[in-house]
Amino acid sequence: MSSFVKQWNKHKYPYLFIAPAVILLTLFSIIPIIIALVISFTDMDLVGLADYSNISAIGFDNYFNIFKDPIFLKSMYNTLIYVVVGVPCVVIASMGVALLLNYGTGWLFKSFRVIYYMPSITNIVAVAVVWGYLYNGSYGLFNYVLSWFDLPAQQWLQDPVLAKFSLILLAFWKSIGLNMIIFLAALQGIPRSYYEAAEIDGATGWKKLRYITVPLLGFATFFVTITTLIGWIQFFEEPLVMTKGGPLNATMSMALFIYNNGFQLSKFGYAASGSFILFIIIIIATLIQFAVKKKEVEY
């Protein structure tokens, strides 16, 4: 016992420093996840929430039924489209903007850093109001621009196909700023000596970009890809405030489907099962990214 006390007194400070974070993580993340997992195997609804005696265990019925739900299957397809289109565009555009802004040191370039970053910290409700006017089918700016070229006006948020890509454009505009900052930080951490050595060997700007800049941005690119991928799998705010998942569920995402069933229809067990399917998809996508990155490092 005395040896344990001595060891504790010797090594207690690291544990004391991390204790607040561990306690908060346990209380507000781990325990709620466990509770939600239990709820996903029940038929819990608003009545069950008022009286726990009305809750019944139904096993995997929620999971079987949700894969028969055409709205859920549609939300999975929509989420796949969001990820496949949105993630590469955001990563590439963020890196491109960061590269352009990194070459300038004047006040104009610093101003553009702020301009590009501002959308990421702007309230989504305010963004929805502005973009709602831009997408307006009668007097929106986008249709006004189309009229310059004698092109017909479009129903940006009413057409099932256009609505999906309209939300992608909005989310793309909002996502660039934060990722641009991460790439800028990584770019400024690349030693200047690498470029000087390449210039001595006669490397052009394109070759320096291809063989020095992009490879040394590998870990930043990996981090941005992971965080962007997780964010787009959880695509929620844009369809919620802009289209409510319409028209005809064309913009319904998995996260919005879970929200609608849990908070609109009060089908808590059903929504919990959907949330764990989304959780598993995120875990699998993340593990794939780590596996790919590990192979790249090995080679």
Side-chain angles (χ1 to χ4, degrees):
M1 184 67 179
S2 60
S3 62
F4 173 78
V5 173
K6 289 181 180 179
Q7 288 293 323
W8 167 253
N9 290 331
K10 183 178 180 181
H11 301 290
K12 65 181 179 182
Y13 295 107
Y15 296 104
L16 291 175
F17 277 116
I18 67 172
V22 172
I23 292 171
L24 290 173
L25 181 66
T26 303
L27 289 176
F28 297 105
S29 292
I30 297 176
I31 293 177
I33 288 173
I34 295 173
I35 294 173
L37 179 61
V38 174
I39 291 173
S40 71
F41 295 106
T42 69
D43 61 352
M44 183 176 180
D45 54 13
L46 202 58
V47 176
L49 187 63
D51 184 359
Y52 294 160
S53 63
N54 293 314
I55 301 175
S56 302
I58 59 174
F60 289 91
D61 284 359
N62 282 329
Y63 291 92
F64 293 142
N65 292 332
I66 201 169
F67 280 108
K68 298 176 184 177
D69 191 331
I71 300 177
F72 180 74
L73 297 177
K74 181 70 173 178
S75 73
M76 291 186 70
Y77 170 75
N78 293 337
T79 301
L80 178 64
I81 297 296
Y82 293 142
V83 170
V84 170
V85 177
V87 174
C89 290
V90 170
V91 174
I92 294 172
S94 300
M95 182 186 292
V97 171
L99 287 168
L100 292 173
L101 295 180
N102 187 60
Y103 286 116
T105 57
W107 66 268
L108 183 61
F109 289 91
K110 294 180 180 178
S111 300
F112 270 100
R113 292 182 187 182
V114 176
I115 292 171
Y116 277 110
Y117 183 68
M118 282 182 65
S120 63
I121 59 174
T122 305
N123 184 276
I124 184 61
V125 177
V127 169
V129 171
V130 174
W131 280 77
Y133 283 113
L134 295 177
Y135 283 137
N136 188 280
S138 300
Y139 48 83
L141 178 63
F142 291 155
N143 280 338
Y144 179 67
V145 172
L146 290 179
S147 68
W148 296 349
F149 305 97
D150 294 326
L151 296 174
Q154 302 295 323
Q155 299 300 318
W156 301 98
L157 298 179
Q158 286 75 41
D159 182 90
V161 176
L162 274 179
K164 196 182 280 86
F165 290 97
S166 297
L167 293 187
I168 290 174
L169 178 61
L170 166 58
F172 167 79
W173 169 81
K174 200 172 186 301
S175 303
I176 288 179
L178 181 60
N179 295 321
M180 175 205 68
I181 294 296
I182 296 171
F183 278 122
L184 270 175
L187 282 168
Q188 294 174 1
I190 299 175
R192 178 62 189 166
S193 57
Y194 292 165
Y195 296 104
E196 293 172 350
E199 289 169 359
I200 292 173
D201 291 337
T204 61
W206 169 250
K207 288 185 176 180
K208 287 189 289 184
L209 175 65
R210 180 180 177 184
Y211 295 106
I212 298 176
T213 305
V214 173
L216 291 178
L217 286 177
F219 285 102
T221 305
F222 173 68
F223 176 78
V224 168
T225 303
I226 286 288
T227 55
T228 304
L229 178 66
I230 293 173
W232 282 76
I233 292 176
Q234 296 175 311
F235 198 66
F236 172 69
E237 294 177 332
E238 288 79 4
L240 174 67
V241 299
M242 295 293 290
T243 63
K244 302 293 188 297
L248 302 175
N249 297 313
T251 60
M252 178 70 68
S253 66
M254 293 180 67
L256 184 57
F257 173 87
I258 295 166
Y259 170 83
N260 286 342
N261 280 273
F263 294 97
Q264 301 295 327
L265 304 177
S266 300
K267 297 162 64 175
F268 302 120
Y270 196 64
S273 64
S275 68
F276 270 91
I277 293 171
L278 180 62
F279 175 75
I280 292 170
I281 291 173
I282 291 173
I283 293 297
I284 292 174
T286 304
L287 290 176
I288 291 173
Q289 289 289 323
F290 273 99
V292 171
K293 183 62 178 178
K294 185 178 179 180
K295 286 186 177 181
E296 290 179 356
V297 172
E298 288 176 353
Y299 286 117

mmCIF file with all atom_site columns, all heavy atoms in Angstrom, residues 182-198:
data_model
loop_
_atom_site.group_PDB
_atom_site.id
_atom_site.type_symbol
_atom_site.label_atom_id
_atom_site.label_alt_id
_atom_site.label_comp_id
_atom_site.label_asym_id
_atom_site.label_entity_id
_atom_site.label_seq_id
_atom_site.pdbx_PDB_ins_code
_atom_site.Cartn_x
_atom_site.Cartn_y
_atom_site.Cartn_z
_atom_site.occupancy
_atom_site.B_iso_or_equiv
_atom_site.pdbx_formal_charge
_atom_site.auth_seq_id
_atom_site.auth_comp_id
_atom_site.auth_asym_id
_atom_site.auth_atom_id
_atom_site.pdbx_PDB_model_num
ATOM 1   N N   . ILE A 1 182 ? -5.619 26.147 -41.763 1.00 0.00 ? 182 ILE A N   1
ATOM 2   C CA  . ILE A 1 182 ? -4.784 24.983 -41.441 1.00 0.00 ? 182 ILE A CA  1
ATOM 3   C C   . ILE A 1 182 ? -3.682 24.809 -42.486 1.00 0.00 ? 182 ILE A C   1
ATOM 4   O O   . ILE A 1 182 ? -2.510 24.579 -42.151 1.00 0.00 ? 182 ILE A O   1
ATOM 5   C CB  . ILE A 1 182 ? -5.655 23.717 -41.352 1.00 0.00 ? 182 ILE A CB  1
ATOM 6   C CG1 . ILE A 1 182 ? -6.647 23.849 -40.189 1.00 0.00 ? 182 ILE A CG1 1
ATOM 7   C CG2 . ILE A 1 182 ? -4.787 22.469 -41.179 1.00 0.00 ? 182 ILE A CG2 1
ATOM 8   C CD1 . ILE A 1 182 ? -7.691 22.761 -40.145 1.00 0.00 ? 182 ILE A CD1 1
ATOM 9   N N   . PHE A 1 183 ? -4.044 24.939 -43.760 1.00 0.00 ? 183 PHE A N   1
ATOM 10  C CA  . PHE A 1 183 ? -3.034 24.825 -44.821 1.00 0.00 ? 183 PHE A CA  1
ATOM 11  C C   . PHE A 1 183 ? -2.024 25.966 -44.745 1.00 0.00 ? 183 PHE A C   1
ATOM 12  O O   . PHE A 1 183 ? -0.820 25.751 -44.978 1.00 0.00 ? 183 PHE A O   1
ATOM 13  C CB  . PHE A 1 183 ? -3.708 24.811 -46.190 1.00 0.00 ? 183 PHE A CB  1
ATOM 14  C CG  . PHE A 1 183 ? -4.228 23.467 -46.596 1.00 0.00 ? 183 PHE A CG  1
ATOM 15  C CD1 . PHE A 1 183 ? -5.575 23.276 -46.892 1.00 0.00 ? 183 PHE A CD1 1
ATOM 16  C CD2 . PHE A 1 183 ? -3.372 22.375 -46.701 1.00 0.00 ? 183 PHE A CD2 1
ATOM 17  C CE1 . PHE A 1 183 ? -6.059 22.036 -47.275 1.00 0.00 ? 183 PHE A CE1 1
ATOM 18  C CE2 . PHE A 1 183 ? -3.855 21.126 -47.089 1.00 0.00 ? 183 PHE A CE2 1
ATOM 19  C CZ  . PHE A 1 183 ? -5.201 20.962 -47.369 1.00 0.00 ? 183 PHE A CZ  1
ATOM 20  N N   . LEU A 1 184 ? -2.486 27.166 -44.429 1.00 0.00 ? 184 LEU A N   1
ATOM 21  C CA  . LEU A 1 184 ? -1.565 28.298 -44.304 1.00 0.00 ? 184 LEU A CA  1
ATOM 22  C C   . LEU A 1 184 ? -0.546 28.057 -43.202 1.00 0.00 ? 184 LEU A C   1
ATOM 23  O O   . LEU A 1 184 ? 0.651  28.346 -43.360 1.00 0.00 ? 184 LEU A O   1
ATOM 24  C CB  . LEU A 1 184 ? -2.347 29.583 -44.021 1.00 0.00 ? 184 LEU A CB  1
ATOM 25  C CG  . LEU A 1 184 ? -2.811 30.401 -45.219 1.00 0.00 ? 184 LEU A CG  1
ATOM 26  C CD1 . LEU A 1 184 ? -3.665 31.572 -44.758 1.00 0.00 ? 184 LEU A CD1 1
ATOM 27  C CD2 . LEU A 1 184 ? -1.617 30.911 -46.027 1.00 0.00 ? 184 LEU A CD2 1
ATOM 28  N N   . ALA A 1 185 ? -1.003 27.546 -42.071 1.00 0.00 ? 185 ALA A N   1
ATOM 29  C CA  . ALA A 1 185 ? -0.089 27.250 -40.961 1.00 0.00 ? 185 ALA A CA  1
ATOM 30  C C   . ALA A 1 185 ? 0.941  26.207 -41.376 1.00 0.00 ? 185 ALA A C   1
ATOM 31  O O   . ALA A 1 185 ? 2.130  26.329 -41.037 1.00 0.00 ? 185 ALA A O   1
ATOM 32  C CB  . ALA A 1 185 ? -0.885 26.779 -39.753 1.00 0.00 ? 185 ALA A CB  1
ATOM 33  N N   . ALA A 1 186 ? 0.491  25.188 -42.109 1.00 0.00 ? 186 ALA A N   1
ATOM 34  C CA  . ALA A 1 186 ? 1.422  24.153 -42.571 1.00 0.00 ? 186 ALA A CA  1
ATOM 35  C C   . ALA A 1 186 ? 2.413  24.713 -43.591 1.00 0.00 ? 186 ALA A C   1
ATOM 36  O O   . ALA A 1 186 ? 3.603  24.369 -43.573 1.00 0.00 ? 186 ALA A O   1
ATOM 37  C CB  . ALA A 1 186 ? 0.639  22.989 -43.172 1.00 0.00 ? 186 ALA A CB  1
ATOM 38  N N   . LEU A 1 187 ? 1.942  25.577 -44.487 1.00 0.00 ? 187 LEU A N   1
ATOM 39  C CA  . LEU A 1 187 ? 2.825  26.172 -45.494 1.00 0.00 ? 187 LEU A CA  1
ATOM 40  C C   . LEU A 1 187 ? 3.915  27.024 -44.850 1.00 0.00 ? 187 LEU A C   1
ATOM 41  O O   . LEU A 1 187 ? 5.075  26.991 -45.268 1.00 0.00 ? 187 LEU A O   1
ATOM 42  C CB  . LEU A 1 187 ? 2.006  27.032 -46.456 1.00 0.00 ? 187 LEU A CB  1
ATOM 43  C CG  . LEU A 1 187 ? 1.206  26.287 -47.533 1.00 0.00 ? 187 LEU A CG  1
ATOM 44  C CD1 . LEU A 1 187 ? 0.224  27.241 -48.212 1.00 0.00 ? 187 LEU A CD1 1
ATOM 45  C CD2 . LEU A 1 187 ? 2.141  25.673 -48.562 1.00 0.00 ? 187 LEU A CD2 1
ATOM 46  N N   . GLN A 1 188 ? 3.546  27.777 -43.833 1.00 0.00 ? 188 GLN A N   1
ATOM 47  C CA  . GLN A 1 188 ? 4.514  28.647 -43.180 1.00 0.00 ? 188 GLN A CA  1
ATOM 48  C C   . GLN A 1 188 ? 5.496  27.874 -42.314 1.00 0.00 ? 188 GLN A C   1
ATOM 49  O O   . GLN A 1 188 ? 6.498  28.427 -41.862 1.00 0.00 ? 188 GLN A O   1
ATOM 50  C CB  . GLN A 1 188 ? 3.778  29.702 -42.360 1.00 0.00 ? 188 GLN A CB  1
ATOM 51  C CG  . GLN A 1 188 ? 2.993  30.664 -43.243 1.00 0.00 ? 188 GLN A CG  1
ATOM 52  C CD  . GLN A 1 188 ? 2.142  31.629 -42.468 1.00 0.00 ? 188 GLN A CD  1
ATOM 53  O OE1 . GLN A 1 188 ? 2.133  31.620 -41.248 1.00 0.00 ? 188 GLN A OE1 1
ATOM 54  N NE2 . GLN A 1 188 ? 1.407  32.476 -43.194 1.00 0.00 ? 188 GLN A NE2 1
ATOM 55  N N   . GLY A 1 189 ? 5.205  26.586 -42.094 1.00 0.00 ? 189 GLY A N   1
ATOM 56  C CA  . GLY A 1 189 ? 6.132  25.749 -41.340 1.00 0.00 ? 189 GLY A CA  1
ATOM 57  C C   . GLY A 1 189 ? 7.141  25.019 -42.210 1.00 0.00 ? 189 GLY A C   1
ATOM 58  O O   . GLY A 1 189 ? 8.016  24.330 -41.686 1.00 0.00 ? 189 GLY A O   1
ATOM 59  N N   . ILE A 1 190 ? 7.032  25.154 -43.530 1.00 0.00 ? 190 ILE A N   1
ATOM 60  C CA  . ILE A 1 190 ? 7.992  24.516 -44.429 1.00 0.00 ? 190 ILE A CA  1
ATOM 61  C C   . ILE A 1 190 ? 9.274  25.347 -44.470 1.00 0.00 ? 190 ILE A C   1
ATOM 62  O O   . ILE A 1 190 ? 9.232  26.538 -44.776 1.00 0.00 ? 190 ILE A O   1
ATOM 63  C CB  . ILE A 1 190 ? 7.408  24.374 -45.850 1.00 0.00 ? 190 ILE A CB  1
ATOM 64  C CG1 . ILE A 1 190 ? 6.154  23.494 -45.825 1.00 0.00 ? 190 ILE A CG1 1
ATOM 65  C CG2 . ILE A 1 190 ? 8.446  23.778 -46.805 1.00 0.00 ? 190 ILE A CG2 1
ATOM 66  C CD1 . ILE A 1 190 ? 5.447  23.389 -47.170 1.00 0.00 ? 190 ILE A CD1 1
ATOM 67  N N   . PRO A 1 191 ? 10.432 24.752 -44.159 1.00 0.00 ? 191 PRO A N   1
ATOM 68  C CA  . PRO A 1 191 ? 11.691 25.520 -44.159 1.00 0.00 ? 191 PRO A CA  1
ATOM 69  C C   . PRO A 1 191 ? 12.000 26.113 -45.536 1.00 0.00 ? 191 PRO A C   1
ATOM 70  O O   . PRO A 1 191 ? 11.841 25.445 -46.559 1.00 0.00 ? 191 PRO A O   1
ATOM 71  C CB  . PRO A 1 191 ? 12.745 24.480 -43.754 1.00 0.00 ? 191 PRO A CB  1
ATOM 72  C CG  . PRO A 1 191 ? 11.971 23.406 -43.051 1.00 0.00 ? 191 PRO A CG  1
ATOM 73  C CD  . PRO A 1 191 ? 10.627 23.369 -43.725 1.00 0.00 ? 191 PRO A CD  1
ATOM 74  N N   . ARG A 1 192 ? 12.447 27.330 -45.526 1.00 0.00 ? 192 ARG A N   1
ATOM 75  C CA  . ARG A 1 192 ? 12.804 28.015 -46.764 1.00 0.00 ? 192 ARG A CA  1
ATOM 76  C C   . ARG A 1 192 ? 14.006 27.365 -47.441 1.00 0.00 ? 192 ARG A C   1
ATOM 77  O O   . ARG A 1 192 ? 14.165 27.449 -48.667 1.00 0.00 ? 192 ARG A O   1
ATOM 78  C CB  . ARG A 1 192 ? 13.110 29.487 -46.444 1.00 0.00 ? 192 ARG A CB  1
ATOM 79  C CG  . ARG A 1 192 ? 13.556 30.332 -47.626 1.00 0.00 ? 192 ARG A CG  1
ATOM 80  C CD  . ARG A 1 192 ? 12.487 30.412 -48.689 1.00 0.00 ? 192 ARG A CD  1
ATOM 81  N NE  . ARG A 1 192 ? 12.989 31.031 -49.907 1.00 0.00 ? 192 ARG A NE  1
ATOM 82  C CZ  . ARG A 1 192 ? 12.385 30.999 -51.072 1.00 0.00 ? 192 ARG A CZ  1
ATOM 83  N NH1 . ARG A 1 192 ? 11.238 30.355 -51.196 1.00 0.00 ? 192 ARG A NH1 1
ATOM 84  N NH2 . ARG A 1 192 ? 12.905 31.574 -52.133 1.00 0.00 ? 192 ARG A NH2 1
ATOM 85  N N   . SER A 1 193 ? 14.849 26.661 -46.673 1.00 0.00 ? 193 SER A N   1
ATOM 86  C CA  . SER A 1 193 ? 16.065 26.045 -47.224 1.00 0.00 ? 193 SER A CA  1
ATOM 87  C C   . SER A 1 193 ? 15.748 25.004 -48.294 1.00 0.00 ? 193 SER A C   1
ATOM 88  O O   . SER A 1 193 ? 16.536 24.808 -49.228 1.00 0.00 ? 193 SER A O   1
ATOM 89  C CB  . SER A 1 193 ? 16.879 25.391 -46.092 1.00 0.00 ? 193 SER A CB  1
ATOM 90  O OG  . SER A 1 193 ? 16.089 24.434 -45.408 1.00 0.00 ? 193 SER A OG  1
ATOM 91  N N   . TYR A 1 194 ? 14.583 24.342 -48.182 1.00 0.00 ? 194 TYR A N   1
ATOM 92  C CA  . TYR A 1 194 ? 14.212 23.358 -49.198 1.00 0.00 ? 194 TYR A CA  1
ATOM 93  C C   . TYR A 1 194 ? 14.028 24.021 -50.556 1.00 0.00 ? 194 TYR A C   1
ATOM 94  O O   . TYR A 1 194 ? 14.487 23.511 -51.589 1.00 0.00 ? 194 TYR A O   1
ATOM 95  C CB  . TYR A 1 194 ? 12.912 22.659 -48.802 1.00 0.00 ? 194 TYR A CB  1
ATOM 96  C CG  . TYR A 1 194 ? 13.028 21.759 -47.593 1.00 0.00 ? 194 TYR A CG  1
ATOM 97  C CD1 . TYR A 1 194 ? 11.886 21.306 -46.944 1.00 0.00 ? 194 TYR A CD1 1
ATOM 98  C CD2 . TYR A 1 194 ? 14.269 21.351 -47.106 1.00 0.00 ? 194 TYR A CD2 1
ATOM 99  C CE1 . TYR A 1 194 ? 11.976 20.472 -45.835 1.00 0.00 ? 194 TYR A CE1 1
ATOM 100 C CE2 . TYR A 1 194 ? 14.366 20.528 -45.999 1.00 0.00 ? 194 TYR A CE2 1
ATOM 101 C CZ  . TYR A 1 194 ? 13.222 20.097 -45.368 1.00 0.00 ? 194 TYR A CZ  1
ATOM 102 O OH  . TYR A 1 194 ? 13.312 19.274 -44.281 1.00 0.00 ? 194 TYR A OH  1
ATOM 103 N N   . TYR A 1 195 ? 13.379 25.165 -50.564 1.00 0.00 ? 195 TYR A N   1
ATOM 104 C CA  . TYR A 1 195 ? 13.147 25.882 -51.812 1.00 0.00 ? 195 TYR A CA  1
ATOM 105 C C   . TYR A 1 195 ? 14.446 26.454 -52.374 1.00 0.00 ? 195 TYR A C   1
ATOM 106 O O   . TYR A 1 195 ? 14.656 26.466 -53.590 1.00 0.00 ? 195 TYR A O   1
ATOM 107 C CB  . TYR A 1 195 ? 12.132 27.004 -51.596 1.00 0.00 ? 195 TYR A CB  1
ATOM 108 C CG  . TYR A 1 195 ? 10.760 26.505 -51.215 1.00 0.00 ? 195 TYR A CG  1
ATOM 109 C CD1 . TYR A 1 195 ? 10.308 26.598 -49.912 1.00 0.00 ? 195 TYR A CD1 1
ATOM 110 C CD2 . TYR A 1 195 ? 9.914  25.931 -52.158 1.00 0.00 ? 195 TYR A CD2 1
ATOM 111 C CE1 . TYR A 1 195 ? 9.047  26.139 -49.549 1.00 0.00 ? 195 TYR A CE1 1
ATOM 112 C CE2 . TYR A 1 195 ? 8.656  25.465 -51.813 1.00 0.00 ? 195 TYR A CE2 1
ATOM 113 C CZ  . TYR A 1 195 ? 8.225  25.574 -50.504 1.00 0.00 ? 195 TYR A CZ  1
ATOM 114 O OH  . TYR A 1 195 ? 6.992  25.114 -50.150 1.00 0.00 ? 195 TYR A OH  1
ATOM 115 N N   . GLU A 1 196 ? 15.318 26.926 -51.485 1.00 0.00 ? 196 GLU A N   1
ATOM 116 C CA  . GLU A 1 196 ? 16.604 27.474 -51.943 1.00 0.00 ? 196 GLU A CA  1
ATOM 117 C C   . GLU A 1 196 ? 17.454 26.394 -52.588 1.00 0.00 ? 196 GLU A C   1
ATOM 118 O O   . GLU A 1 196 ? 18.103 26.625 -53.615 1.00 0.00 ? 196 GLU A O   1
ATOM 119 C CB  . GLU A 1 196 ? 17.334 28.109 -50.754 1.00 0.00 ? 196 GLU A CB  1
ATOM 120 C CG  . GLU A 1 196 ? 16.642 29.351 -50.212 1.00 0.00 ? 196 GLU A CG  1
ATOM 121 C CD  . GLU A 1 196 ? 17.267 29.861 -48.932 1.00 0.00 ? 196 GLU A CD  1
ATOM 122 O OE1 . GLU A 1 196 ? 18.126 29.131 -48.371 1.00 0.00 ? 196 GLU A OE1 1
ATOM 123 O OE2 . GLU A 1 196 ? 16.907 30.967 -48.480 1.00 0.00 ? 196 GLU A OE2 1
ATOM 124 N N   . ALA A 1 197 ? 17.449 25.206 -51.999 1.00 0.00 ? 197 ALA A N   1
ATOM 125 C CA  . ALA A 1 197 ? 18.213 24.097 -52.587 1.00 0.00 ? 197 ALA A CA  1
ATOM 126 C C   . ALA A 1 197 ? 17.634 23.711 -53.942 1.00 0.00 ? 197 ALA A C   1
ATOM 127 O O   . ALA A 1 197 ? 18.380 23.415 -54.891 1.00 0.00 ? 197 ALA A O   1
ATOM 128 C CB  . ALA A 1 197 ? 18.197 22.905 -51.639 1.00 0.00 ? 197 ALA A CB  1
ATOM 129 N N   . ALA A 1 198 ? 16.318 23.712 -54.057 1.00 0.00 ? 198 ALA A N   1
ATOM 130 C CA  . ALA A 1 198 ? 15.679 23.377 -55.324 1.00 0.00 ? 198 ALA A CA  1
ATOM 131 C C   . ALA A 1 198 ? 15.979 24.420 -56.391 1.00 0.00 ? 198 ALA A C   1
ATOM 132 O O   . ALA A 1 198 ? 16.189 24.084 -57.567 1.00 0.00 ? 198 ALA A O   1
ATOM 133 C CB  . ALA A 1 198 ? 14.171 23.247 -55.124 1.00 0.00 ? 198 ALA A CB  1
#
